[in-house]
Amino acid sequence: MTTTPSDTPSDPWSAHYADGKEFSPLGDAERRLLARHVPAPEGGRALDVGCGLGELARFLAESGYQVDAVDFAPTALDRARADHPETEGVRYHVHDIERDPADRLPHTAYDVITLRLSWAFVGDRTRVLNRLRERLRPGGVLCVITPVADTAPEDRPGIALDETEIDLLRAGWTSADRHDADGLAVLLLSGPVPARATCADKGKPAPHALTGAGVVVTDHRGRVLLGWSVRGVWELPGGKNAADEDFREAAVRELAEETGLVADASDALIGAFLMDSTHGMPRLTAAVRVTAHTGEPTVTEPHLIRRWEWHEVADLPALAQPLFTPSAHVIDTFWPGLLADLPPVHRYPVAPEAH
């Protein structure tokens, strides 16, 4: 059993395991479901993400899999190796599924990928899910075992998924079975379905909401920030401009108010003005690109946005859920041709020298 280096810094999870703490043990109901639905094929290979102390990884190995067990907390893997030094078929690797490139995983394809009690702690779920899909062999299964919000402790809501998040996770698969294991949801997902980006509106806007800015902001790897709206669409940061406020000022203000990211209006560039209509009313959106910012995305308006995620630009055409129509038009301004079959829009490009 070996450990592969990662550039992930130490974190509270390492302290959690260093203090001797654990998580709920693998239950008999979970074992029965896994044995029934994901039996090991000949030469089967498994990836256990967020393996912790390795209990699930060892069960998979005992079932006949060769298992790569990955976690971003080195102390968890140290304890797993120390407590079970003779486990055959399990190799432990330090790997942060969100921050480390997927090509650092030990193998390119797996028959089963498991995430037990960890999916609720993943921030950029869409991007991570896309990368995991790419690591499934034909016929492979992604198995997510998670507490459910309805039965989670009231003082620990962050450990569970609600029904909306579970539905998001199940979208885009040919088969998306759900089972119960002593109050845990066991999701068995297989057969990724090629998706195509669609657009949708969020309902009739207030009259003043007809002028505003949509903001493209990217991280240091070029990923674009989208929020999952309570109205069931992905959307860029942005919103309506206040009285006497220009579009660049509105863009950086809305960015700060919605995400906590701080930018200066001088770093906001208008790429185009976009005019369409919704519910019979004209709508004007400034497509704004913010080129520099500080901070980390935070949900500051939970009544509007459930979470913010950094998305790979190449993944945007295959989102399983719709993009807010103005956001799709803004994205098309800066990555023309990326999204197909967009609704009609009048586009008025702004020359670079006009900034």
Side-chain angles (χ1 to χ4, degrees):
M1 296 180 286
T2 63
T3 301
T4 301
S6 165
D7 57 8
T8 303
S10 60
D11 57 83
W13 292 104
S14 291
H16 174 95
Y17 290 108
D19 290 341
K21 298 177 181 178
E22 302 181 2
F23 286 97
S24 299
L26 189 68
D28 291 340
E30 296 172 79
R31 295 172 185 269
R32 288 192 296 270
L33 283 170
L34 291 168
R36 182 184 310 132
H37 294 287
V38 288
E42 184 176 355
R45 191 171 294 281
L47 175 67
D48 184 25
V49 177
C51 67
L53 301 181
E55 184 182 21
L56 176 54
R58 291 188 294 275
F59 172 78
L60 293 172
E62 292 165 1
S63 302
Y65 285 100
Q66 293 293 312
V67 184
D68 291 320
V70 303
D71 201 290
F72 73 170
T75 53
L77 305 185
D78 291 342
R79 283 183 58 188
R81 288 194 299 271
D83 294 345
H84 301 273
E86 302 301 326
T87 302
E88 295 291 335
V90 178
R91 294 172 63 87
Y92 294 105
H93 310 264
V94 177
H95 184 88
D96 187 327
I97 199 66
E98 284 200 78
R99 295 176 179 84
D100 291 342
D103 59 12
R104 289 192 188 176
L105 287 168
H107 294 89
T108 58
Y110 295 90
D111 297 284
V112 64
I113 299 175
T114 56
L115 297 98
R116 182 176 184 271
L117 309 184
S118 58
W119 190 249
F121 300 101
V122 175
D124 294 346
R125 295 175 190 170
T126 305
R127 175 172 57 83
V128 171
L129 184 61
N130 285 337
R131 301 293 79 79
L132 293 178
R133 289 178 196 263
E134 295 167 355
R135 289 298 188 272
L136 281 177
R137 287 175 174 169
V141 175
L142 176 67
C143 175
V144 177
I145 302 173
T146 179
V148 180
D150 289 344
T151 58
E154 292 185 2
D155 61 339
R156 301 180 67 198
I159 69 171
L161 299 184
D162 61 20
E163 293 302 320
T164 298
E165 291 291 343
I166 289 175
D167 288 343
L168 277 175
L169 184 55
R170 298 174 72 188
W173 302 87
T174 302
S175 176
D177 294 335
R178 177 176 177 174
H179 304 272
D180 177 78
D182 298 327
L184 296 174
V186 179
L187 308 175
L188 302 170
L189 312 173
S190 61
V193 177
R196 192 169 190 171
T198 58
C199 299
D201 276 300
K202 300 182 291 184
K204 185 176 180 178
H208 186 75
L210 296 178
T211 64
V215 186
V216 165
V217 59
T218 52
D219 68 3
H220 67 287
R221 293 183 178 175
R223 299 165 179 160
V224 63
L225 187 67
L226 292 177
W228 178 240
S229 166
V230 298
R231 298 185 181 182
V233 294
W234 288 107
E235 61 180 280
L236 295 168
K240 58 190 178 184
N241 50 314
D244 301 322
E245 184 180 48
D246 73 25
F247 287 105
R248 286 178 292 183
E249 292 169 343
V252 298
R253 175 184 55 76
E254 289 284 349
L255 181 66
E257 291 177 357
E258 292 186 346
T259 73
L261 298 180
V262 177
D264 190 88
S266 62
D267 292 317
L269 307 178
I270 299 176
F273 291 102
L274 310 166
M275 184 179 292
D276 65 350
S277 64
T278 180
H279 298 276
M281 293 178 284
R283 175 171 55 190
L284 178 67
T285 304
V288 180
R289 180 75 179 264
V290 168
T291 59
H293 65 273
T294 59
E296 293 293 332
T298 304
V299 174
T300 59
E301 299 176 332
H303 61 290
L304 299 177
I305 297 293
R306 295 174 64 94
R307 69 175 184 276
W308 294 102
E309 293 188 17
W310 295 108
H311 291 249
E312 301 282 2
V313 173
D315 290 343
L316 299 184
L319 286 173
Q321 298 80 31
L323 276 163
F324 181 40
T325 301
S327 293
H329 288 144
V330 171
I331 290 169
D332 190 58
T333 298
F334 296 106
W335 291 280
L338 178 71
L339 304 175
D341 301 326
L342 294 181
V345 68
H346 298 286
R347 189 183 309 274
Y348 303 92
V350 175
E353 59 269 21
H355 294 304

